[in-house]
Amino acid sequence: MEGLSSEQAKIQVRKFGKNEIPDSAKKGRFHLVLDIFKEPMFLLLISCGVLYMLLGDFREGFILLSTIIIIIFITIYQNAKTENALSKLKQLSSPRALVLRDGKETRIAGNEVVVDDVILINEGDRIPADAILTESNHLKVDESLLTGESLAVEKSTEEGKNTLFSGTLVISGNAKAKVSSIGSKTEMGKIGHSLQSIEQSGTRLQTEMKGLIKGLFILGGIISVITVLAFYFSRGNFIQSLLNGLAATMAILPEEFPVVLTIFLALGAWRLSKKNVLTRKPSAIESLGSATVLCSDKTGTITLNRMDVTAVMVDETLFENDAIVQNNGTVLRAIEVANLSSRADSIDTMDSALSRKAESLKLSKIDENLFIQEYPLQSDFTAISRVYTSNNKCLVYTKGSPESVFELCGFDASTVEKQLKLVNEMATKGLRVLGVAEGQYDNVEKLPKEQAELKLKFIGLIGFEDPIRPEVPAAIKECSEAGISVKMITGDFPLTAETIAKKIGLSTQEGILTGDEIETLNDVDLQKKVKSIHVFARVKPEQKLRIVHALKANNEIVAMTGDGVNDAPALKASDIGIAMGMKGTDVAREASSLVLLDDNFASIVAAIRSGRKIFDNLQKSMSYIMSIHMPIIGLTLLPAFFGNLPILLMPIHIVFMELIIDPVCSIAFESEPEEKGIMQRPPRPVEEKFFGWRKIIASLFRGLLLLIMVLVVYFLSIKEGHSEGEVRAIAFTSLIIGNIFLILTDLSNTRSFIWVFKGKNKAALILPSIAFAVLMIVLNTETGQVIFNFDHPGHTHFIPSLIGAGSLLLLIEFIKLFKLRKGIV
């Protein structure tokens, strides 16, 4: 069965659509605008605009209400950017499927499966569409998602047992099937169960932020009431007092927090996907910067997962590379037997290597017509045997771990010891070693029920080499510098693991811990061992869970990779579960926080680096929001308690400020490149609060400096005898320029503001420039002056504004430099 061609698949897509259910969860623009109107800040803005209208000040009311259009535009733009990121993430998160396309095996996204596709199904796969079995090998499927029945259902090509359903899980075996229904036409689609959107579960950061916003909302209400009363008793105009009270509330409410958080998490996840890492849980972005231990598989993650047969050991003689071709007899027989013990359609890398080698040497091909039985690989007996019939005889071909094959061949202790030395000799060369054996039985009835009962003749050992990914040693070094301990966990022989570890720069001075040794250790002893051990060999999937628990008991923040069904518990138990996207099963992916799309170890390290950058930029953005709200609050409240002072900030001024703050904190800060030395600092303590008192005090201090600077200019202008409109223009200019300088210095904790002008972050340069340009238009046009209640004092009178803002910038930069030299970041 060849499957469809690419052109046939395109025709099927046009005819039946994609393998997905229409997304009804996505909000339209009308609902988005409706949500905007529900925001407290928006309601306050409308209230102010309506109040001005009722007072007869139609110009001011119209301007305030007109800003609604600008805010809606910005919100829709930001939402579109976020939705676009989430939409692309959803495409990536669609379950993967292995299909036959153009006569070859191709792995595609589940939503690209079409009717009549031939799908290849293996243990641990989530079936991508309803299908009819055409070939089956001991296939069992968990259909509890549809039927509620917990027991796995055995499937075969027989009528009544040959139907597979979308979304169900393969427990064991493998098969081929032809797709019959996709999308909403599947049984799963009919009952409405499908992926509707990326799960946005509440994270620790979101919970912390909700508490902060709630506290500030209550504080805003109290201050608003105090402001109204203060204005009323000092000035006697209740309506104007009410307006100023609403302005105070607008100044206090940090409505940017939830917007910024949503954008950062969505765009952060999308940025990670560009580094071949899919974020399934937003909390993973928070945790990445805290990871202290990274546990990684070897095959396909540290290595290329591209096995080649490079050595054969027969009769205690090792033949490598070209020497294999130059020898006949037992050497070639070892490769032939190993190939015959493999499935013809296997996607296993060692089976593929054997098939390529056998074909190049023109050895016997696998004839599936003669195949009668298979003894599958088991967790407690790591060998696989296939039985063929020939001349009324049953021929058994076996390959597996040397220890298991030695057992099948009935070796005594001394023979096993001698053979293990040969295995060690091959393993020290970095080879993965399989034992090969064959046997013969007179008829099917004489075949034992269990593989362990087979009686076989030993042929030899075959060595496979899986080249190391060239970028891994540098990534290991980067982890070490970042304070992250890397631990390699593999099912390979200890000496093979040790050789690979030395090549990639992992220490083996403390020895290598094997799966058998783990079995003998209690939890306390294992907890002690994992502190210093960096290489774990011959580890079974279920033992990964014990390693995770031991590391977590040592207060480590654990990132764990995995690909199999049995890896799921360890992935779920770890702080950051990382599933393999190419070779991983759907079960592993569903249990994970991240999915590695290219199965590359370097991509994990790149994700940690990006995670640190995302967290840094989010923290800087939130700190800036807290800083800038400080002078807004101060300048709004000051005239309330001193009736003789000119009112500085009216609702229109606060709206103008918000139109600067919103895009800057969600675009400029989000686009900021990583800090210098981001991977030369230790992981962030996981218990450290995002809004710790140290961060809050530092943010409020910078805001207080800006407030003091504006007040100095404000009182200086009053002293010089300027009119109320002129005082407002000069002080507001100080606030805006000071805000722009605050943005430039807050963008980085490790670089000078001058770095921004090198063009690394265009948004950080463009957005403040636009704000400054608009301010100049407002100050120098009659319409702008009328709208903002300004009077132009003459250009020379803005010199204090520039000097004050410049002094603020230099002071904050000096503090930053001082902290850097003291090692305080």
Side-chain angles (χ1 to χ4, degrees), residues 89-257:
L89 284 172
K90 181 179 175 181
Q91 291 174 12
L92 288 172
S93 66
S94 173
R96 311 291 287 173
L98 190 64
V99 301
L100 287 179
R101 287 277 174 89
D102 301 314
K104 60 183 181 181
E105 296 175 5
T106 307
R107 193 168 289 279
I108 61 174
N111 64 357
E112 294 177 9
V113 172
V114 299
V115 173
D116 293 336
D117 251 333
V118 174
I119 53 176
L120 306 177
I121 301 159
N122 294 286
E123 180 181 334
D125 286 350
R126 183 75 67 181
I127 295 171
D130 286 2
I132 304 297
L133 278 171
T134 55
E135 297 178 30
S136 177
N137 180 26
H138 305 299
L139 188 69
K140 288 187 177 182
V141 180
D142 176 6
E143 296 183 344
S144 60
L145 198 63
L146 280 170
T147 64
E149 175 58 55
S150 59
L151 295 177
V153 179
E154 192 166 345
K155 297 286 184 176
S156 69
T157 54
E158 294 177 28
E159 188 72 30
K161 292 185 176 182
N162 62 348
T163 307
L164 301 177
F165 299 105
S166 175
T168 56
L169 180 66
V170 178
I171 299 300
S172 63
N174 55 80
K176 279 186 184 179
K178 190 173 183 178
V179 173
S180 57
S181 302
I182 61 171
S184 55
K185 299 294 183 183
T186 63
E187 288 301 310
M188 185 68 74
K190 289 175 185 176
I191 62 175
H193 291 289
S194 81
L195 179 65
Q196 291 295 323
S197 63
I198 287 183
E199 186 67 29
Q200 296 290 331
S201 56
T203 68
R204 190 167 64 93
L205 176 56
Q206 287 170 326
T207 304
E208 188 179 337
M209 194 168 294
K210 281 179 183 177
L212 182 67
I213 292 172
K214 184 180 178 182
L216 289 172
F217 186 81
I218 294 169
L219 179 65
I222 295 169
I223 292 177
S224 179
V225 172
I226 293 171
T227 305
V228 171
L229 294 174
F231 262 104
Y232 178 70
F233 288 117
S234 63
R235 297 174 189 264
N237 187 330
F238 181 75
I239 298 298
Q240 188 62 43
S241 300
L242 189 60
L243 276 169
N244 283 284
L246 290 171
T249 307
M250 288 172 68
I252 293 167
L253 279 179
E255 86 292 347
E256 302 93 353
F257 279 0

Side-chain angles (χ1 to χ4, degrees), residues 124 297 541 544 562-569 571 583-585 587-589:
D297 283 333
K544 282 187 176 183
D563 56 10
V565 176
N566 291 336
D567 288 335
L571 290 172
K583 64 175 181 172
T585 61
V587 176
R589 283 192 285 271

Side-chain angles (χ1 to χ4, degrees), residues 492-556:
D492 273 350
F493 199 79
L495 284 177
T496 305
E498 184 178 14
T499 302
I500 297 295
K502 287 178 179 177
K503 287 181 180 180
I504 62 176
L506 273 185
S507 172
T508 57
Q509 288 182 354
E510 300 297 327
I512 295 172
L513 193 63
T514 67
D516 289 340
E517 290 170 333
I518 290 173
E519 288 294 325
T520 64
L521 296 174
N522 60 38
D523 291 344
V524 175
D525 291 336
L526 181 60
Q527 189 177 329
K528 292 176 183 176
K529 279 279 188 181
V530 296
K531 286 181 180 179
S532 55
I533 298 292
H534 292 278
V535 181
F536 299 79
R538 279 288 191 260
V539 174
K540 298 174 184 176
E542 55 268 26
Q543 290 173 331
K544 282 187 176 183
L545 183 60
R546 286 196 66 197
I547 294 172
V548 169
H549 285 316
L551 289 167
K552 291 181 77 172
N554 292 333
N555 296 317
E556 303 282 6

